Amino acid sequence: MSATATTEKKYLKWYQKLAYGAGDLASNCSYGLVASFVLLYLTGTMGLDSAIIGSLMLASKVLDGISDVIFGTLIDRTHSKLGKARPWMLFGQVGVSLCLFLLFAIPAGSTTMQYIYFFVVYTALNAVFYTANNIAYSALTALITKNNNERVQLGSFRFMFAVITNIVMGFSVTGLVEKFGGGTAGWRTTALIFAIIGLVVNTISCLAVKELPEEELSGNTSEAAEEGKAVAEEKKHGFAETAKILVHNKYYLMILAIYIVYYIMSNLTTGAGVFCATYYWGDGSLLGQFSMMKMFPVIIALAFAPVLIKKTGSMQKVNFWGYAISSVLGIPMIYFAMQKNISMFLLFMFIKGIFAGTLSGSLNALIAEASGYTTRTTGVHMDGMMYSCSSLGVKVGGGIGTAAVGWLLKLGGFVGTATVQSESAIRMIFNLYITFPFILGIVITVLLAFLDVEKANKKWDADHAQKEAQA
């Protein structure tokens, strides 16, 4: 089959794309709740120390990073009626939902035991169950279609659902907590609701799609080797060898770096958002507006991303220029935040988000390109391992970002049980939510400038097509 025919063939119906995207609604019922609100719950309701919590989160992420590569390998070696990834996605969510409820149901007792309880449940949630579920979910992008445009569409759908979920959470979570009695009881009931929603939606998302036969998947880059070589080579390589191949793929490392920086930035804003609304702007109810103005533009960007990428023929160009413009727009946004001009601050946040939003929908497709680069250059087909950069980046970046919020709040003099914070604490909150993310956005722009994996794949294909023609 020619490269052109492969590109044009469609594998998915509209409802399958929609159902797949809904999987990120399920993911964010847990990830969004933990990233945005667990620190508020632990410091404000349980009275625990933010710096200690931050340290425990980072320690947990060390284990989390190890488990990402392990689960990526296990997915690659799974063969079942459901396929490689779907069993892990389906059953991993059961553990995610259970641990989500337990995390917001810390029992009364000694403070030391509460820290231990938190660490164990938080680690089980992230390093085991969420890792298995999310790597499998991300890997499905490459396993249910070989059409690059469909892969971009899948990324757009999933991040639209992620954005919508986080907007809804921004407006509803604190209200739900109060509705169900406030305090520990309110948090426990709210977590239970999101745990159940996540379980139901994940199941629907998983069962609505079907993985392609391994023979068809391995034929996606037949130019890389003789027919069937990719599958055969995969079976000959052990964990250490495949891991070595992985880290020698510079595009994998670039995408991993982008994921880590992106989720450090994201978790700084999600973790500090409720504190910024409450203590810097003086109105905790603004959190919903912040979430909407930050995330709704992403939906607009994702709606146009497939069209822009198809027209330019390059995910890199669209993402690089989008982030470059977004970085420039960050300057007036900071200015209006310093002036406490809420209307102009929200306006620039909205416009900035439109330009930066295209990246969210195409990262998974870029991983598929990086995976194709590995198959082309080594003959090894290892989508599960390749997609470990998604989960690894989310967890390591998210862990560092969330931990940094805890550490830096403590460094700034923040007191969780106090109704009025010191000037140094408020300055730190401002930097966590606005200044530091601006700097990290510039870092992402630089990384995107070098992420030319699409160009490298096209060059490889052209070179080998020429060799075959001459043979």
Side-chain angles (χ1 to χ4, degrees):
M1 182 179 290
S2 68
T4 302
T6 300
T7 302
E8 292 176 349
K9 181 178 179 180
K10 295 182 180 180
Y11 294 85
L12 302 171
K13 299 183 183 297
W14 69 268
Y15 65 83
Q16 290 178 306
K17 298 174 187 177
L18 190 66
Y20 175 83
D24 235 318
L25 186 158
S27 294
N28 279 275
C29 280
S30 56
Y31 183 83
L33 189 64
V34 173
S36 297
F37 297 100
V38 75
L39 194 58
L40 179 65
Y41 161 71
L42 295 170
T43 58
T45 301
M46 302 306 299
L48 300 180
D49 185 274
S50 64
I52 295 176
I53 292 298
S55 299
L56 291 175
M57 286 178 171
L58 190 61
S60 176
K61 293 306 173 184
V62 174
L63 301 175
D64 207 350
I66 296 171
S67 71
D68 279 287
V69 182
I70 293 173
F71 278 109
T73 305
L74 290 174
I75 290 169
D76 278 331
R77 297 180 179 180
T78 297
H79 303 278
S80 72
K81 291 182 179 180
L82 286 174
K84 288 177 172 287
R86 289 200 300 162
W88 296 95
M89 177 181 173
L90 185 64
F91 298 113
Q93 181 63 41
V94 177
V96 169
S97 292
L98 176 61
C99 288
L100 180 65
F101 170 72
L102 293 176
L103 188 63
F104 285 87
I106 296 177
S110 72
T111 302
T112 300
M113 291 305 298
Q114 288 178 330
Y115 284 125
I116 294 173
Y117 176 97
F118 164 77
F119 180 77
V120 171
V121 175
Y122 182 81
T123 301
L125 170 63
N126 289 286
V128 181
F129 299 112
Y130 186 86
T131 294
N133 172 269
N134 199 253
I135 291 180
Y137 176 52
S138 296
L140 278 179
T141 302
L143 296 174
I144 62 178
T145 177
K146 297 195 294 179
N147 185 311
N148 280 337
N149 192 49
E150 285 187 335
R151 287 172 175 173
V152 173
Q153 290 174 343
L154 291 177
S156 297
F157 273 115
R158 67 175 291 187
F159 280 95
M160 283 183 190
F161 275 101
V163 167
I164 291 170
T165 305
N166 281 285
I167 289 174
V168 171
M169 282 188 163
F171 277 106
S172 67
V173 168
T174 54
L176 285 172
V177 172
E178 293 302 316
K179 179 179 177 63
F180 293 113
T184 56
W187 282 108
R188 185 169 58 244
T189 305
T190 301
L192 178 61
I193 291 172
F194 284 106
I196 293 172
I197 293 173
L199 184 61
V200 172
V201 174
N202 180 84
T203 302
I204 295 172
S205 177
C206 181
L207 299 180
V209 297
K210 185 177 181 180
E211 296 180 29
L212 298 175
E214 291 185 39
E215 307 79 46
E216 185 172 1
L217 288 168
S218 63
N220 187 31
T221 54
S222 57
E223 300 90 344
E226 300 80 15
E227 186 175 353
K229 181 179 177 182
V231 175
E233 286 293 318
E234 178 187 336
K235 295 177 181 177
K236 293 178 182 178
H237 287 75
F239 171 78
E241 291 172 290
T242 52
K244 184 178 180 180
I245 293 171
L246 193 69
V247 298
H248 279 82
N249 184 332
K250 63 180 181 179
Y251 298 115
Y252 171 87
L253 297 178
M254 286 182 196
I255 296 173
L256 175 60
I258 289 172
Y259 259 105
I260 290 174
V261 176
Y262 179 88
Y263 278 94
I264 290 175
M265 178 177 68
S266 177
N267 278 59
L268 285 179
T269 55
T270 54
V274 66
F275 298 100
C276 189
T278 302
Y279 298 107
Y280 180 74
W281 297 96
D283 184 1
S285 65
L286 285 173
L287 179 62
Q289 293 184 48
F290 287 173
S291 299
M292 184 170 64
M293 290 297 147
K294 177 186 173 185
M295 296 177 180
F296 187 70
V298 181
I299 298 178
I300 299 175
L302 294 181
F304 288 100
V307 177
L308 290 173
I309 291 169
K310 187 175 182 179
K311 185 173 182 179
T312 61
S314 172
M315 289 181 277
Q316 182 199 16
K317 287 181 181 178
V318 172
N319 291 324
F320 168 74
W321 285 109
Y323 250 85
I325 295 171
S326 174
S327 295
V328 173
L329 291 171
I331 297 172
M333 189 187 80
I334 293 175
Y335 170 77
F336 287 116
M338 294 175 66
Q339 298 298 313
K340 288 198 172 183
N341 186 330
I342 187 66
S343 298
M344 294 301 294
F345 170 72
L346 291 175
L347 176 62
F348 273 90
M349 180 187 289
F350 182 87
I351 300 172
K352 185 175 183 292
I354 292 176
F355 285 98
T358 58
L359 181 63
S360 298
S362 55
L363 264 178
N364 265 14
L366 283 168
I367 299 173
E369 287 285 331
S371 182
Y373 180 80
T374 292
T375 308
R376 285 170 168 85
T377 55
T378 68
V380 180
H381 195 78
M382 43 190 288
D383 287 312
M385 285 284 280
M386 288 300 303
Y387 273 87
S388 68
C389 69
S390 170
S391 183
L392 179 60
V394 169
K395 260 77 73 58
V396 172
I400 294 172
T402 305
V405 173
W407 293 335
L408 295 174
L409 282 175
K410 181 73 173 182
L411 182 64
F414 177 80
V415 179
T417 54
T419 55
V420 178
Q421 301 295 332
S422 65
E423 285 298 319
S424 62
I426 293 175
R427 281 197 302 272
M428 182 60 76
I429 289 170
F430 179 91
N431 288 329
L432 283 167
Y433 189 69
I434 298 172
T435 310
F436 298 157
F438 167 74
I439 296 171
L440 294 173
I442 296 175
V443 175
I444 292 176
T445 305
V446 174
L447 289 169
L448 287 170
F450 295 96
L451 189 59
D452 60 345
V453 62
E454 299 157 283
K455 182 179 178 181
N457 282 341
K458 289 176 182 177
K459 184 178 185 302
W460 195 98
D461 290 342
D463 290 345
H464 283 72
Q466 185 176 3
K467 289 179 181 178
E468 289 179 6
Q470 293 172 348

